């Protein structure tokens, strides 16, 4: 076996099938998208090379709404990191303490993750319905009729309404990851700390959180990248409306390619999303390394 691992030719033979698949599925589409982004092309007719005009237009032409989409995705990313992940951590810490029906709570919080996003979007569209939605009916019945809103039709609150659904759908995913990490911590550490008089809060602060920090960093990365490339839920709920209030780069990319038949513009947006995700991932990794050095 050691001889095989030392043989470069054998290594290349074993790696080649996976590399071919990876290149076909990941690398080639990126290369083609980068090429299409330099064209003025409707997807069927003759394409003309226009250089970086698509990139310039999507940042300078207000009618593309791309800058607004970037701002919205940045808001979703910040809220995901500073709201979704802390809530998931809190749930993981509480459930992992051995409360009654621990398994039930763990599974219930994870259910939204395994439900189709289209189903979730349709469900919350009915909950948010301005006339017959459960949310407005509930507010009416408890005497808060003045709080009734057109939750997905008001440009001021529609982005927040969409984000609430994102939290509800994925909080169980991050919770389960951190819950599993907490359960992997040896119980002897907790028992020794309890003998020394540590409270439940001190156990979480000084043992659980520091020891699961790698998993917390993973969840932060997943939350950031997921919010930057989110599409399906926003498209089902609002399609980027009302009046482009919930537009994000992915919805604009879809609209330009499949509705406006501007393959060049849509491809340039796709390349920007890719570079944006790579950039923020690298920044997060470097930030985490700096924190580890300081710690």
């Amino acid at each position: 076996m050691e001889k095989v691992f030392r043989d470069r030719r054998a290594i290349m033979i074993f790696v080649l099938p996976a590399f071919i698949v990876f290149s076909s599925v990941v690398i080639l589409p990126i290369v083609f998208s980068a090429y299409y982004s330099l064209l003025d092309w409707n997807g069927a007719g003759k394409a003309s090379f226009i250089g970086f005009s698509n990139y310039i237009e999507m940042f300078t032409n207000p009618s593309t709404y791309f800058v607004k989409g970037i701002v919205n995705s940045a808001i979703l990313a910040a809220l995901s990191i500073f709201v979704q992940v802390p809530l998931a951590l809190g749930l993981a810490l509480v459930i992992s303490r051995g409360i009654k029906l621990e398994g039930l709570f763990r599974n219930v919080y994870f259910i939204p993750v395994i439900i189709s996003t289209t189903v979730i979007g349709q469900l919350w569209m009915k909950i948010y319905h301005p006339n017959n939605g459960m949310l407005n009916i509930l507010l009416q019945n408890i005497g808060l009729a003045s709080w009734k809103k057109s939750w997905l039709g008001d440009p001021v609150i529609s982005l927040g309404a969409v984000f609430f659904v994102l939290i509800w759908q994925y909080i169980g995913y991050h919770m389960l990851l951190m819950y599993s990490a907490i359960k992997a911590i040896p119980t002897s550490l907790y028992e020794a700390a309890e003998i020394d008089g540590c409270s439940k809060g001190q156990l979480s602060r000084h043992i659980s959180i520091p020891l699961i920090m790698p998993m917390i960093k993973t969840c932060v990365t997943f939350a950031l990248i997921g919010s930057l490339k989110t599409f399906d839920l926003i498209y089902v709920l609002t399609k980027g409306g009302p009046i482009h209030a919930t537009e994000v780069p992915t919805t604009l990319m879809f609209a330009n390619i499949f509705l406006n038949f501007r393959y060049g513009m849509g491809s340039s947006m796709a390349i920007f999303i890719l570079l944006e995700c790579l950039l923020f991932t690298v920044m997060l990794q470097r930030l985490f390394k700096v924190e580890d050095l300081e710690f």
Side-chain angles (χ1 to χ4, degrees), residues 160-172:
V162 169
F163 174 71
F164 184 84
V165 182
L166 285 171
I167 288 184
W168 179 82
Q169 182 180 10
Y170 289 110
I171 193 172

Side-chain angles (χ1 to χ4, degrees), residues 169-289:
Q169 182 180 10
Y170 289 110
I171 193 172
Y173 176 74
H174 300 295
M175 180 275 295
L176 188 62
L177 290 176
M178 289 185 277
Y179 169 87
S180 301
I182 293 172
K183 282 297 187 180
I185 299 175
T187 56
S188 58
L189 296 177
Y190 294 107
E191 292 170 355
E194 287 177 345
I195 292 174
D196 290 337
C198 289
S199 63
K200 295 290 186 182
Q202 290 173 326
L203 291 176
S204 298
R205 180 181 178 184
H206 298 292
I207 297 179
S208 299
I209 294 178
L211 291 180
I212 67 167
M213 190 57 67
M215 183 58 71
I216 294 176
K217 295 173 182 178
T218 301
C219 289
V220 169
T221 303
F222 285 168
L224 174 64
I225 301 305
S227 59
L228 291 177
K229 63 185 185 67
T230 184
F231 166 76
D232 42 7
L233 185 62
I234 294 178
Y235 189 78
V236 172
L237 286 173
T238 64
K239 291 183 171 60
I243 57 173
H244 304 283
T246 59
E247 292 282 15
V248 290
T250 50
T251 58
L252 293 167
M253 176 192 69
F254 177 87
N256 274 279
I257 294 178
F258 296 105
L259 301 180
N260 301 330
F261 300 104
R262 298 190 64 186
Y263 277 71
M265 178 62 72
S267 297
S268 63
M269 292 180 178
I271 294 299
F272 174 84
I273 295 170
L274 172 66
L275 295 177
E276 181 185 37
C277 291
L278 289 174
L279 175 63
F280 278 105
T281 300
V282 172
M283 290 175 60
L284 275 179
Q285 295 302 320
R286 293 198 172 185
L287 178 63
F288 291 151
K289 287 182 180 179

Side-chain angles (χ1 to χ4, degrees), residues 1-283:
M1 183 62 69
E2 293 182 1
K3 190 175 181 179
V4 172
F5 283 115
R6 293 174 183 173
D7 189 345
R8 293 184 178 180
R9 183 178 299 177
I11 293 174
M12 291 179 62
I13 292 173
F14 283 113
V15 170
L16 185 60
F19 177 76
I20 293 174
V21 173
F22 180 79
S23 299
S24 302
V25 176
V26 178
I27 297 179
L28 284 180
I30 293 175
V31 173
F32 281 122
S33 293
Y35 171 68
Y36 293 149
S37 69
L38 305 176
L39 305 177
D40 180 13
W41 186 43
N42 62 6
K46 184 178 180 180
S48 58
F49 183 81
I50 58 174
F52 293 97
S53 297
N54 286 323
Y55 293 95
I56 297 173
E57 180 184 351
M58 71 182 187
F59 284 107
T60 59
N61 188 351
S63 63
T64 62
Y65 297 99
F66 193 71
V67 175
K68 183 176 182 61
I70 295 174
V71 173
N72 286 342
S73 66
I75 293 173
L76 292 178
L79 291 174
S80 296
I81 293 174
F82 297 108
V83 176
Q84 188 180 60
V85 174
L87 287 176
L89 175 60
L91 287 174
L93 291 171
V94 172
I95 295 175
S96 63
R97 289 177 180 174
I99 62 174
K100 291 183 179 180
L101 303 177
E102 176 181 339
L104 175 64
F105 284 114
R106 182 186 62 222
N107 294 330
V108 166
Y109 283 119
F110 190 71
I111 286 176
V113 180
I114 63 177
I115 300 177
S116 168
T117 302
T118 302
V119 173
I120 289 177
Q122 291 294 327
L123 170 66
W124 280 91
M125 283 178 67
K126 292 174 174 59
I127 293 175
Y128 282 143
H129 194 279
N131 299 322
N132 304 317
M134 185 179 70
L135 180 56
N136 279 344
I137 291 175
L138 177 63
L139 293 174
Q140 176 76 37
N141 291 337
I142 63 177
L144 296 175
S146 60
W147 290 20
K148 293 171 60 177
K149 304 284 185 181
S150 177
W151 300 97
L152 297 177
D154 187 341
V156 177
I157 62 175
S158 55
L159 187 64
V162 169
F163 174 71
F164 184 84
V165 182
L166 285 171
I167 288 184
W168 179 82
Q169 182 180 10
Y170 289 110
I171 193 172
Y173 176 74
H174 300 295
M175 180 275 295
L176 188 62
L177 290 176
M178 289 185 277
Y179 169 87
S180 301
I182 293 172
K183 282 297 187 180
I185 299 175
T187 56
S188 58
L189 296 177
Y190 294 107
E191 292 170 355
E194 287 177 345
I195 292 174
D196 290 337
C198 289
S199 63
K200 295 290 186 182
Q202 290 173 326
L203 291 176
S204 298
R205 180 181 178 184
H206 298 292
I207 297 179
S208 299
I209 294 178
L211 291 180
I212 67 167
M213 190 57 67
M215 183 58 71
I216 294 176
K217 295 173 182 178
T218 301
C219 289
V220 169
T221 303
F222 285 168
L224 174 64
I225 301 305
S227 59
L228 291 177
K229 63 185 185 67
T230 184
F231 166 76
D232 42 7
L233 185 62
I234 294 178
Y235 189 78
V236 172
L237 286 173
T238 64
K239 291 183 171 60
I243 57 173
H244 304 283
T246 59
E247 292 282 15
V248 290
T250 50
T251 58
L252 293 167
M253 176 192 69
F254 177 87
N256 274 279
I257 294 178
F258 296 105
L259 301 180
N260 301 330
F261 300 104
R262 298 190 64 186
Y263 277 71
M265 178 62 72
S267 297
S268 63
M269 292 180 178
I271 294 299
F272 174 84
I273 295 170
L274 172 66
L275 295 177
E276 181 185 37
C277 291
L278 289 174
L279 175 63
F280 278 105
T281 300
V282 172
M283 290 175 60

